[in-house]
C-alpha cells in the first residue's frame, strides 16, 4: 500500500491496540469498530474507553447495544476476525462480585535480552496480528550455521546459545566509533547454558583477547557457494568472526573446541542492539562505586546509581580504561552488570504489562539481531523465548572463562585459559550443573538415587568388578583396568572387551550385597549417583559375584572423574543476575 493509502497510519503507535489479558498472560488485539476501513499494515491505536451509553465496548453489567441496520456495515469487524464473545461478570452470593482467578506470576517471564525479548505476545488469530507478525518476520536477518550447531533446541534437553556482540562499524547507526571500515570481531561473547529442567542457567563470558586455536570452518558464502575457511593457531579468540570471511558458525565451532559443548543456536548483535534495547525498556539502572570519566568511550558518570539508555548505555558496556585494571576482563564485569540489570528490567511488571515497551522490544530485537537460520522466523524465536522465559533469574549466574596472563609475552597483553579452573567449569556445564545452589532442583532430585552414595564403603582390595568398554574409545577398558590395579589397589578387576553397544553414560551394576563395593568404586572413579544401578550381580569367570562397570561416552580417561565438580572452582569471576553490584 502506498503512502496515500496509509493516510495517518504512519504516525500510529502499533502498541495502542494491544492489551494484556490478565487471565492468559497474553496480549490481544482490540480493533476499533471501523478498523476494516483503511487497514494499516500494523495495528492502529486503541479507541478511548466509551462513556456510559456510548459506542464501543459495553460497560460491565449492561447489555450490549444492538446496532441499527444503517450502522451494521460501519461496525463490522475486520474480515477474517472472529467476534470475541464478552461474558458478563456474574454476581456472587450476597450481591458482591465473583472473585477473579489469581493472575499468573510475571516473575518467571524474565526473557533473555537477545532472544527472549521476542517471545512475547504474537497473536495471529486476526488480520492485524498476522500483518504485524509478517512485519516482524521481515525484520529478521538469518545466516546458515553450516552444521556447527545441533540443528535446533529441544524442550527435553538443556539449551546452549552463543550470544555474540560484534564491534562491526559499518551499517546504519554503527558509524562514528573509529575504524569505520572494520569487518568486526567477536568483541563480546557469551555462552548461555539453560538447564534441562529450566531451573537454572549460566552465562559464560569468553574474553576476546584469549589466545586459542580456530578450527577449519566450512562456510556458506553470501552468493550461496560453499567454502572451507582454513583455521588458525595461537590467535585471539575475537578473530573467529569477521576476519578471513569467517561467519558466526565459525565462532560456534571455536567455542565448542574450547569447551566441549555443542551449541544449539547463535545470536549476533551490533552496537545498535545495546542502544535500541536499552531505550525500548525505558533505560537500565546501573551502579558505580566511583566516578567514571573515559574519553575513549565517551562515558562520564558520577559515583552512584544511574538509569542509562541509547548512546550512554553503549558507552557503558564499551568502557574499560577507568574501571578495574583497565583491561578487557574489567569491561566484561561491566557488561555482566548491565545485562543483569537489563533482565531485571525486562521481568518487571513495568515492562511486561506495557504494550508500548513490549512492541518497542519486538522492533528493536528483530532489527538488531542476526540469528542462525534454524530460528530464522518469529514463531521459532517465540518458541525459544518461551523456553527461556521459564527460567527463574535467581538461579542465573554470570561467569567468566578462567584465564591467566599469556606466559609467551614479556609484557602480557593477551591471556590464555587456566585449565585447573576452566576444565572443572566446562565439566559442570556439560553435566548441566548449576554454579549456584538451586533449591528447587535439589528438592526434585530423587532421594533414593542420592542415597546410593551414602553408607559404608568396602576396602579397595575387596572390590570385584568386570569392566566393559561402551565408550567408543579404543582401549578404554584396558587403561582403566591398569589404572585401577596399579594406582588404586582394585586387584579383583577384569576387563572383558567391548560392550554390546556404545552408550552415552557410564553405568555400574551391582547386587544388594555389593553396595559397599559400589560406593568405594564410585568414590575412586568419581562416578555420580545416577551411574549406580542396583540390581542383580553377575558371576565372573571364576564363578564369583562381580559388579559390571560399563564405560560410556562420558568417560574421559583413566583417573579422570566422570561426575562434575559439586561447586564452581574458587576464584572465578562470577555475578548472580538477581543482585545489584556496583562497578569499581
Amino acid at each position: 500500500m502506498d503512502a496515500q493509502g496509509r493516510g495517518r497510519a504512519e504516525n500510529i503507535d502499533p502498541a495502542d491496540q494491544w492489551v494484556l489479558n490478565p487471565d492468559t498472560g497474553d496480549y490481544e488485539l482490540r480493533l476499533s469498530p471501523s478498523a476494516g476501513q483503511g487497514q494499516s499494515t500494523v495495528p492502529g491505536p486503541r479507541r478511548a474507553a466509551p462513556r456510559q451509553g456510548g459506542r464501543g465496548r459495553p460497560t460491565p453489567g449492561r447489555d450490549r447495544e444492538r446496532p441499527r441496520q444503517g450502522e451494521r456495515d460501519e461496525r463490522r469487524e475486520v474480515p477474517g476476525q472472529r467476534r470475541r464473545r464478552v461474558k458478563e461478570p456474574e454476581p456472587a452470593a450476597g450481591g458482591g462480585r465473583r472473585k477473579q482467578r489469581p493472575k499468573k506470576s510475571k516473575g518467571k517471564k524474565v526473557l533473555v535480552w537477545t532472544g527472549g525479548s521476542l517471545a512475547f505476545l504474537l497473536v495471529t488469530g486476526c488480520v492485524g496480528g498476522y500483518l504485524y507478525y509478517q512485519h516482524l518476520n521481515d525484520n529478521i536477518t538469518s545466516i546458515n550455521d553450516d552444521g556447527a550447531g545441533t540443528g535446533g533446541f529441544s524442550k527435553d534437553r538443556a539449551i546452549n546459545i552463543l550470544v555474540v556482540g560484534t564491534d562491526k562499524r559499518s551499517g546504519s547507526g554503527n558509524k562514528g566509533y573509529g575504524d569505520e571500515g572494520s569487518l568486526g570481531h567477536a568483541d563480546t561473547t557469551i555462552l548461555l547454558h539453560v538447564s534441562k529442567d529450566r531451573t537454572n542457567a549460566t552465562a559464560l563470558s569468553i574474553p576476546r583477547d584469549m589466545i586459542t586455536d580456530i578450527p577449519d570452518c566450512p562456510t556458506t558464502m553470501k552468493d550461496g557457494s560453499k567454502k572451507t575457511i582454513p583455521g588458525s593457531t595461537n590467535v585471539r579468540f575475537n578473530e573467529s568472526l569477521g576476519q578471513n570471511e569467517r561467519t558466526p558458525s565459525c565462532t560456534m565451532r571455536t567455542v565448542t573446541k574450547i569447551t566441549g559443548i555443542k551449541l544449539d543456536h547463535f545470536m549476533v548483535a551490533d552496537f545498535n542492539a545495546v542502544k535500541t534495547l536499552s531505550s525500548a525498556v525505558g533505560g537500565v539502572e546501573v551502579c558505580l562505586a566511583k566516578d567514571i570519566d573515559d574519553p575513549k568511550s565517551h562515558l562520564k558518570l558520577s559515583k552512584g546509581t544511574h538509569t542509562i539508555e541509547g548512546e550512554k548505555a553503549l558507552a557503558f558496556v564499551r568502557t574499560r580504561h577507568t574501571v578495574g585494571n583497565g583491561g578487557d576482563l574489567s569491561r566484561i564485569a561491566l557488561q555482566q552488570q548491565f545485562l543483569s540489570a537489563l533482565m531485571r528490567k525486562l521481568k518487571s511488571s513495568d515492562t511486561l504489562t506495557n504494550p508500548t515497551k513490549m512492541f518497542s522490544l519486538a522492533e528493536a530485537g528483530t532489527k538488531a539481531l542476526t540469528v542462525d537460520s534454524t530460528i530464522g522466523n518469529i514463531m521459532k524465536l517465540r518458541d525459544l523465548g518461551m523456553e527461556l522465559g521459564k527460567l527463574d533469574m535467581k538461579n542465573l549466574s554470570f561467569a567468566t572463562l578462567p584465564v591467566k596472563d599469556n606466559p609467551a609475552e614479556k609484557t602480557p597483553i593477551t591471556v590464555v585459559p587456566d585449565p585447573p579452573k576452566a576444565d572443572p567449569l566446562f565439566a559442570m556445564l556439560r553435566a548441566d550443573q548449576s554454579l549456584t545452589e538451586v533449591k528447587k532442583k535439589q528438592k526434585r532430585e530423587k532421594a533414593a538415587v542420592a542415597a546410593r552414595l551414602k553408607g559404608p564403603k568396602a576396602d579397595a582390595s575387596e572390590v570385584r568388578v568386570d569392566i566393559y568398554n561402551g565408550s567408543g574409545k579404543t582401549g578404554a577398558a584396558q587403561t582403566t583396568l591398569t589404572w585401577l590395579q596399579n594406582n588404586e589397589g582394585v586387584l579383583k578387576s577384569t576387563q572383558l572387551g567391548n560392550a554390546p553397544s556404545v552408550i552415552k553414560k557410564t553405568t555400574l551394576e551391582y547386587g544388594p550385597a555389593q553396595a559397599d563395593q559400589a560406593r568405594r568404586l564410585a568414590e575412586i572413579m568419581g562416578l555420580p549417583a545416577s551411574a549406580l544401578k542396583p540390581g542383580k550381580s553377575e558371576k565372573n569367570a571364576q564363578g564369583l559375584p562381580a559388579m559390571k562397570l560399563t564405560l560410556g561416552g562420558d568417560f574421559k580417561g583413566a583417573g579422570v572423574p566422570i561426575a562434575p565438580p559439586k561447586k564452581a572452582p574458587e576464584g572465578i569471576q562470577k555475578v548472580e543476575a538477581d543482585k545489584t553490584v556496583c562497578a569499581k
Side-chain angles (χ1 to χ4, degrees), residues 99-151:
K99 184 181 293 186
Q100 294 182 347
R101 288 180 294 175
K103 295 182 179 180
K104 293 185 178 181
S105 170
K106 306 290 191 305
K108 293 188 178 180
K109 290 188 178 180
V110 53
L111 307 175
V112 175
W113 70 277
T114 48
S117 62
L118 306 178
F120 38 82
L121 5 171
L122 282 173
V123 180
T124 58
C126 61
V127 172
Y130 176 75
L131 292 172
Y132 194 64
Y133 154 76
Q134 289 292 89
H135 167 70
L136 292 179
N137 230 30
D138 292 342
N139 286 345
I140 299 172
T141 300
S142 63
I143 299 177
N144 200 314
D145 74 355
D146 299 309
T150 61

Short mmCIF file of all heavy atoms in Angstrom, two decimals, residues 99-151:
data_model
loop_
_atom_site.label_atom_id
_atom_site.label_comp_id
_atom_site.label_asym_id
_atom_site.label_seq_id
_atom_site.Cartn_x
_atom_site.Cartn_y
_atom_site.Cartn_z
N LYS A 99 -15.21 -13.55 42.71
CA LYS A 99 -13.76 -13.41 42.85
C LYS A 99 -13.07 -13.83 41.57
O LYS A 99 -13.37 -14.88 41.00
CB LYS A 99 -13.27 -14.30 44.01
CG LYS A 99 -11.77 -14.14 44.28
CD LYS A 99 -11.30 -15.04 45.39
CE LYS A 99 -11.92 -14.63 46.71
NZ LYS A 99 -11.35 -15.44 47.84
N GLN A 100 -12.17 -13.01 41.09
CA GLN A 100 -11.43 -13.31 39.86
C GLN A 100 -10.37 -14.36 40.14
O GLN A 100 -9.87 -14.50 41.25
CB GLN A 100 -10.76 -12.04 39.33
CG GLN A 100 -11.76 -11.00 38.86
CD GLN A 100 -11.03 -9.80 38.31
OE1 GLN A 100 -9.84 -9.66 38.49
NE2 GLN A 100 -11.75 -8.94 37.63
N ARG A 101 -10.03 -15.07 39.06
CA ARG A 101 -8.94 -16.02 39.18
C ARG A 101 -7.64 -15.26 39.45
O ARG A 101 -7.43 -14.19 38.90
CB ARG A 101 -8.79 -16.85 37.91
CG ARG A 101 -9.89 -17.87 37.73
CD ARG A 101 -9.67 -18.64 36.46
NE ARG A 101 -9.81 -17.78 35.29
CZ ARG A 101 -9.58 -18.18 34.05
NH1 ARG A 101 -9.16 -19.40 33.83
NH2 ARG A 101 -9.75 -17.35 33.04
N PRO A 102 -6.74 -15.82 40.26
CA PRO A 102 -5.49 -15.10 40.52
C PRO A 102 -4.69 -14.95 39.24
O PRO A 102 -4.66 -15.84 38.40
CB PRO A 102 -4.76 -16.01 41.52
CG PRO A 102 -5.38 -17.36 41.33
CD PRO A 102 -6.80 -17.10 40.94
N LYS A 103 -4.05 -13.80 39.09
CA LYS A 103 -3.24 -13.56 37.90
C LYS A 103 -1.99 -14.42 37.93
O LYS A 103 -1.43 -14.72 38.97
CB LYS A 103 -2.83 -12.08 37.83
CG LYS A 103 -4.01 -11.14 37.65
CD LYS A 103 -3.51 -9.69 37.54
CE LYS A 103 -4.68 -8.74 37.35
NZ LYS A 103 -4.22 -7.34 37.24
N LYS A 104 -1.54 -14.78 36.74
CA LYS A 104 -0.31 -15.54 36.64
C LYS A 104 0.88 -14.69 37.05
O LYS A 104 0.93 -13.51 36.76
CB LYS A 104 -0.11 -16.07 35.21
CG LYS A 104 -1.15 -17.10 34.81
CD LYS A 104 -0.81 -17.65 33.44
CE LYS A 104 -1.80 -18.74 33.04
NZ LYS A 104 -1.50 -19.30 31.73
N SER A 105 1.83 -15.32 37.70
CA SER A 105 3.02 -14.58 38.13
C SER A 105 3.81 -14.10 36.94
O SER A 105 4.04 -14.82 35.98
CB SER A 105 3.91 -15.50 38.98
OG SER A 105 5.15 -14.91 39.21
N LYS A 106 4.22 -12.83 37.00
CA LYS A 106 5.07 -12.28 35.93
C LYS A 106 6.55 -12.56 36.21
O LYS A 106 7.38 -12.40 35.34
CB LYS A 106 4.87 -10.76 35.83
CG LYS A 106 3.42 -10.34 35.67
CD LYS A 106 2.88 -10.71 34.31
CE LYS A 106 1.54 -10.08 34.05
NZ LYS A 106 0.53 -10.34 35.02
N GLY A 107 6.87 -12.94 37.47
CA GLY A 107 8.27 -13.05 37.85
C GLY A 107 9.05 -14.05 37.02
O GLY A 107 10.23 -13.89 36.79
N LYS A 108 8.36 -15.12 36.57
CA LYS A 108 9.07 -16.16 35.83
C LYS A 108 9.06 -15.92 34.34
O LYS A 108 9.43 -16.78 33.56
CB LYS A 108 8.47 -17.53 36.15
CG LYS A 108 8.72 -17.94 37.60
CD LYS A 108 8.31 -19.37 37.86
CE LYS A 108 8.61 -19.78 39.29
NZ LYS A 108 8.22 -21.16 39.57
N LYS A 109 8.61 -14.72 33.91
CA LYS A 109 8.59 -14.42 32.49
C LYS A 109 9.82 -13.65 32.06
O LYS A 109 9.83 -13.02 31.02
CB LYS A 109 7.34 -13.62 32.13
CG LYS A 109 6.07 -14.46 32.22
CD LYS A 109 4.89 -13.70 31.67
CE LYS A 109 3.63 -14.56 31.70
NZ LYS A 109 2.48 -13.84 31.17
N VAL A 110 10.87 -13.68 32.91
CA VAL A 110 12.09 -12.98 32.50
C VAL A 110 12.61 -13.62 31.23
O VAL A 110 12.72 -14.83 31.13
CB VAL A 110 13.15 -13.06 33.62
CG1 VAL A 110 13.40 -14.45 34.08
CG2 VAL A 110 14.44 -12.43 33.16
N LEU A 111 12.89 -12.82 30.23
CA LEU A 111 13.29 -13.32 28.93
C LEU A 111 14.67 -12.80 28.60
O LEU A 111 14.91 -11.60 28.66
CB LEU A 111 12.29 -12.87 27.86
CG LEU A 111 10.84 -13.20 28.18
CD1 LEU A 111 9.93 -12.60 27.13
CD2 LEU A 111 10.65 -14.69 28.26
N VAL A 112 15.61 -13.68 28.28
CA VAL A 112 16.97 -13.25 27.99
C VAL A 112 16.96 -12.26 26.86
O VAL A 112 16.28 -12.46 25.86
CB VAL A 112 17.85 -14.47 27.63
CG1 VAL A 112 19.23 -14.03 27.21
CG2 VAL A 112 17.93 -15.40 28.82
N TRP A 113 17.72 -11.16 27.00
CA TRP A 113 17.51 -9.97 26.16
C TRP A 113 17.72 -10.23 24.70
O TRP A 113 17.12 -9.60 23.85
CB TRP A 113 18.42 -8.85 26.62
CG TRP A 113 19.87 -9.04 26.35
CD1 TRP A 113 20.76 -9.73 27.10
CD2 TRP A 113 20.63 -8.48 25.27
NE1 TRP A 113 22.00 -9.66 26.57
CE2 TRP A 113 21.96 -8.91 25.44
CE3 TRP A 113 20.31 -7.67 24.18
CZ2 TRP A 113 22.96 -8.53 24.57
CZ3 TRP A 113 21.32 -7.32 23.32
CH2 TRP A 113 22.63 -7.75 23.51
N THR A 114 18.50 -11.20 24.34
CA THR A 114 18.79 -11.38 22.94
C THR A 114 17.69 -12.10 22.18
O THR A 114 17.35 -11.70 21.09
CB THR A 114 20.07 -12.18 22.81
OG1 THR A 114 19.99 -13.29 23.66
CG2 THR A 114 21.25 -11.34 23.17
N GLY A 115 17.17 -13.17 22.74
CA GLY A 115 16.13 -13.90 22.03
C GLY A 115 14.83 -13.90 22.76
O GLY A 115 13.77 -13.87 22.15
N GLY A 116 14.90 -13.90 24.11
CA GLY A 116 13.69 -13.98 24.89
C GLY A 116 12.79 -12.79 24.74
O GLY A 116 11.59 -12.89 24.93
N SER A 117 13.35 -11.64 24.43
CA SER A 117 12.51 -10.45 24.29
C SER A 117 11.61 -10.55 23.07
O SER A 117 10.72 -9.72 22.87
CB SER A 117 13.38 -9.20 24.17
OG SER A 117 14.19 -9.25 23.03
N LEU A 118 11.81 -11.58 22.25
CA LEU A 118 10.94 -11.79 21.09
C LEU A 118 9.86 -12.83 21.37
O LEU A 118 9.12 -13.21 20.48
CB LEU A 118 11.78 -12.25 19.89
CG LEU A 118 12.95 -11.35 19.55
CD1 LEU A 118 13.72 -11.94 18.38
CD2 LEU A 118 12.47 -9.97 19.20
N ALA A 119 9.78 -13.30 22.62
CA ALA A 119 8.86 -14.38 22.94
C ALA A 119 7.50 -13.92 23.38
O ALA A 119 6.76 -14.62 23.98
CB ALA A 119 9.45 -15.22 24.06
N PHE A 120 7.18 -12.69 23.14
CA PHE A 120 6.03 -12.01 23.69
C PHE A 120 4.85 -12.14 22.76
O PHE A 120 4.93 -11.96 21.65
CB PHE A 120 6.35 -10.53 23.81
CG PHE A 120 7.13 -10.12 22.66
CD1 PHE A 120 6.53 -9.83 21.47
CD2 PHE A 120 8.49 -10.16 22.72
CE1 PHE A 120 7.28 -9.54 20.39
CE2 PHE A 120 9.22 -9.87 21.62
CZ PHE A 120 8.61 -9.56 20.47
N LEU A 121 3.79 -12.29 23.11
CA LEU A 121 2.54 -11.79 22.62
C LEU A 121 2.22 -11.78 21.16
O LEU A 121 1.47 -10.94 20.77
CB LEU A 121 2.42 -10.32 23.01
CG LEU A 121 3.57 -9.66 23.67
CD1 LEU A 121 3.33 -8.20 23.78
CD2 LEU A 121 3.90 -10.24 24.93
N LEU A 122 2.78 -12.64 20.36
CA LEU A 122 2.38 -12.62 18.95
C LEU A 122 1.11 -13.44 18.79
O LEU A 122 1.11 -14.64 19.00
CB LEU A 122 3.49 -13.19 18.09
CG LEU A 122 4.63 -12.20 17.85
CD1 LEU A 122 5.76 -12.88 17.15
CD2 LEU A 122 4.15 -11.02 17.07
N VAL A 123 0.03 -12.80 18.46
CA VAL A 123 -1.26 -13.48 18.27
C VAL A 123 -1.64 -13.34 16.81
O VAL A 123 -1.80 -12.23 16.31
CB VAL A 123 -2.36 -12.87 19.17
CG1 VAL A 123 -3.68 -13.58 18.97
CG2 VAL A 123 -1.93 -12.92 20.62
N THR A 124 -1.76 -14.46 16.11
CA THR A 124 -2.02 -14.38 14.67
C THR A 124 -3.46 -14.76 14.33
O THR A 124 -3.76 -15.10 13.21
CB THR A 124 -1.06 -15.31 13.91
OG1 THR A 124 -1.24 -16.64 14.40
CG2 THR A 124 0.37 -14.88 14.11
N GLY A 125 -4.35 -14.71 15.29
CA GLY A 125 -5.72 -15.10 15.03
C GLY A 125 -6.55 -14.02 14.37
O GLY A 125 -7.74 -14.22 14.15
N CYS A 126 -5.97 -12.89 14.05
CA CYS A 126 -6.72 -11.84 13.38
C CYS A 126 -5.84 -11.20 12.33
O CYS A 126 -4.63 -11.39 12.31
CB CYS A 126 -7.20 -10.80 14.40
SG CYS A 126 -5.86 -9.99 15.26
N VAL A 127 -6.44 -10.44 11.45
CA VAL A 127 -5.71 -9.85 10.33
C VAL A 127 -4.60 -8.94 10.82
O VAL A 127 -3.47 -8.98 10.36
CB VAL A 127 -6.67 -9.08 9.40
CG1 VAL A 127 -5.89 -8.29 8.36
CG2 VAL A 127 -7.60 -10.06 8.71
N GLY A 128 -4.91 -8.05 11.78
CA GLY A 128 -3.91 -7.12 12.28
C GLY A 128 -2.72 -7.84 12.87
O GLY A 128 -1.57 -7.47 12.62
N GLY A 129 -2.96 -8.89 13.69
CA GLY A 129 -1.87 -9.66 14.28
C GLY A 129 -1.03 -10.34 13.23
O GLY A 129 0.19 -10.38 13.33
N TYR A 130 -1.68 -10.89 12.20
CA TYR A 130 -0.94 -11.57 11.15
C TYR A 130 -0.03 -10.61 10.40
O TYR A 130 1.12 -10.91 10.11
CB TYR A 130 -1.90 -12.25 10.18
CG TYR A 130 -1.18 -12.90 9.02
CD1 TYR A 130 -0.49 -14.09 9.19
CD2 TYR A 130 -1.18 -12.32 7.76
CE1 TYR A 130 0.19 -14.69 8.15
CE2 TYR A 130 -0.52 -12.91 6.70
CZ TYR A 130 0.17 -14.09 6.90
OH TYR A 130 0.84 -14.67 5.86
N LEU A 131 -0.54 -9.43 10.11
CA LEU A 131 0.26 -8.45 9.38
C LEU A 131 1.46 -7.98 10.21
O LEU A 131 2.55 -7.79 9.67
CB LEU A 131 -0.61 -7.25 8.97
CG LEU A 131 -1.68 -7.56 7.91
CD1 LEU A 131 -2.61 -6.37 7.74
CD2 LEU A 131 -1.02 -7.90 6.58
N TYR A 132 1.24 -7.82 11.51
CA TYR A 132 2.36 -7.40 12.34
C TYR A 132 3.37 -8.53 12.47
O TYR A 132 4.59 -8.29 12.52
CB TYR A 132 1.86 -6.96 13.71
CG TYR A 132 2.92 -6.20 14.47
CD1 TYR A 132 3.38 -4.97 14.00
CD2 TYR A 132 3.48 -6.71 15.64
CE1 TYR A 132 4.36 -4.27 14.67
CE2 TYR A 132 4.46 -6.02 16.32
CZ TYR A 132 4.89 -4.80 15.83
OH TYR A 132 5.87 -4.11 16.49
N TYR A 133 2.89 -9.75 12.53
CA TYR A 133 3.78 -10.92 12.52
C TYR A 133 4.66 -10.92 11.27
O TYR A 133 5.86 -11.13 11.33
CB TYR A 133 2.93 -12.19 12.60
CG TYR A 133 3.55 -13.42 12.01
CD1 TYR A 133 4.56 -14.11 12.70
CD2 TYR A 133 3.15 -13.92 10.77
CE1 TYR A 133 5.12 -15.25 12.16
CE2 TYR A 133 3.71 -15.05 10.23
CZ TYR A 133 4.70 -15.71 10.93
OH TYR A 133 5.27 -16.83 10.40
N GLN A 134 4.05 -10.65 10.12
CA GLN A 134 4.81 -10.59 8.87
C GLN A 134 5.83 -9.44 8.91
O GLN A 134 6.95 -9.58 8.44
CB GLN A 134 3.86 -10.38 7.68
CG GLN A 134 3.03 -11.60 7.36
CD GLN A 134 3.89 -12.72 6.81
OE1 GLN A 134 4.42 -13.54 7.55
NE2 GLN A 134 4.06 -12.76 5.51
N HIS A 135 5.42 -8.32 9.49
CA HIS A 135 6.31 -7.17 9.60
C HIS A 135 7.55 -7.52 10.42
O HIS A 135 8.69 -7.22 10.03
CB HIS A 135 5.54 -6.01 10.23
CG HIS A 135 6.41 -4.87 10.69
ND1 HIS A 135 7.05 -4.03 9.82
CD2 HIS A 135 6.73 -4.45 11.94
CE1 HIS A 135 7.74 -3.13 10.50
NE2 HIS A 135 7.56 -3.37 11.80
N LEU A 136 7.37 -8.18 11.57
CA LEU A 136 8.50 -8.57 12.41
C LEU A 136 9.35 -9.62 11.72
O LEU A 136 10.58 -9.62 11.82
CB LEU A 136 8.00 -9.10 13.76
CG LEU A 136 7.35 -8.09 14.70
CD1 LEU A 136 6.88 -8.78 15.98
CD2 LEU A 136 8.30 -6.95 15.03
N ASN A 137 8.68 -10.53 11.01
CA ASN A 137 9.42 -11.57 10.29
C ASN A 137 10.37 -10.96 9.27
O ASN A 137 11.49 -11.43 9.09
CB ASN A 137 8.43 -12.50 9.58
CG ASN A 137 8.71 -13.95 9.85
OD1 ASN A 137 9.23 -14.31 10.91
ND2 ASN A 137 8.38 -14.80 8.91
N ASP A 138 9.92 -9.91 8.61
CA ASP A 138 10.75 -9.25 7.61
C ASP A 138 11.94 -8.53 8.24
O ASP A 138 12.92 -8.24 7.55
CB ASP A 138 9.91 -8.24 6.82
CG ASP A 138 8.87 -8.92 5.93
OD1 ASP A 138 9.03 -10.13 5.67
OD2 ASP A 138 7.90 -8.26 5.52
N ASN A 139 11.86 -8.23 9.54
CA ASN A 139 12.98 -7.56 10.21
C ASN A 139 14.16 -8.49 10.47
O ASN A 139 15.29 -8.05 10.62
CB ASN A 139 12.53 -7.01 11.58
CG ASN A 139 11.67 -5.78 11.46
OD1 ASN A 139 11.61 -5.15 10.41
ND2 ASN A 139 11.02 -5.42 12.55
N ILE A 140 13.89 -9.79 10.54
CA ILE A 140 14.90 -10.75 11.00
C ILE A 140 15.93 -11.05 9.92
O ILE A 140 15.59 -11.30 8.76
CB ILE A 140 14.23 -12.07 11.44
CG1 ILE A 140 13.27 -11.80 12.60
CG2 ILE A 140 15.26 -13.11 11.84
CD1 ILE A 140 12.42 -13.00 12.98
N THR A 141 17.20 -11.03 10.31
CA THR A 141 18.29 -11.45 9.44
C THR A 141 18.82 -12.78 9.95
O THR A 141 19.09 -12.92 11.15
CB THR A 141 19.43 -10.41 9.44
OG1 THR A 141 18.93 -9.16 8.98
CG2 THR A 141 20.58 -10.86 8.54
N SER A 142 18.96 -13.77 9.07
CA SER A 142 19.45 -15.08 9.50
C SER A 142 20.59 -15.54 8.60
O SER A 142 20.68 -15.16 7.43
CB SER A 142 18.33 -16.12 9.50
OG SER A 142 17.81 -16.31 8.19
N ILE A 143 21.47 -16.36 9.16
CA ILE A 143 22.64 -16.89 8.47
C ILE A 143 22.73 -18.38 8.76
O ILE A 143 22.41 -18.83 9.86
CB ILE A 143 23.94 -16.19 8.94
CG1 ILE A 143 23.91 -14.70 8.65
CG2 ILE A 143 25.17 -16.80 8.27
CD1 ILE A 143 25.12 -13.95 9.16
N ASN A 144 23.19 -19.14 7.78
CA ASN A 144 23.35 -20.59 7.93
C ASN A 144 24.36 -20.89 9.04
O ASN A 144 25.39 -20.23 9.16
CB ASN A 144 23.84 -21.18 6.61
CG ASN A 144 23.57 -22.66 6.52
OD1 ASN A 144 23.83 -23.41 7.45
ND2 ASN A 144 23.04 -23.09 5.39
N ASP A 145 24.07 -21.91 9.86
CA ASP A 145 25.04 -22.30 10.89
C ASP A 145 26.04 -23.32 10.37
O ASP A 145 26.91 -23.78 11.11
CB ASP A 145 24.34 -22.80 12.16
CG ASP A 145 23.74 -24.19 12.00
OD1 ASP A 145 23.75 -24.75 10.89
OD2 ASP A 145 23.24 -24.72 13.01
N ASP A 146 25.90 -23.71 9.10
CA ASP A 146 26.88 -24.56 8.42
C ASP A 146 27.17 -25.86 9.16
O ASP A 146 28.28 -26.39 9.10
CB ASP A 146 28.18 -23.79 8.19
CG ASP A 146 27.98 -22.56 7.32
OD1 ASP A 146 27.38 -22.69 6.25
OD2 ASP A 146 28.39 -21.46 7.73
N GLY A 147 26.18 -26.37 9.86
CA GLY A 147 26.35 -27.64 10.57
C GLY A 147 27.12 -27.53 11.86
O GLY A 147 27.43 -28.55 12.48
N ALA A 148 27.42 -26.31 12.31
CA ALA A 148 28.17 -26.14 13.56
C ALA A 148 27.31 -26.37 14.78
O ALA A 148 27.82 -26.63 15.87
CB ALA A 148 28.79 -24.74 13.61
N GLY A 149 25.97 -26.28 14.63
CA GLY A 149 25.07 -26.44 15.75
C GLY A 149 24.42 -27.81 15.78
O GLY A 149 24.72 -28.69 14.96
N THR A 150 23.50 -27.98 16.71
CA THR A 150 22.81 -29.26 16.89
C THR A 150 21.65 -29.43 15.92
O THR A 150 21.08 -30.51 15.82
CB THR A 150 22.25 -29.36 18.31
OG1 THR A 150 21.31 -28.28 18.52
CG2 THR A 150 23.36 -29.26 19.34
N GLY A 151 21.28 -28.35 15.24
CA GLY A 151 20.10 -28.39 14.38
C GLY A 151 18.89 -27.75 15.03
O GLY A 151 17.83 -27.66 14.42
#
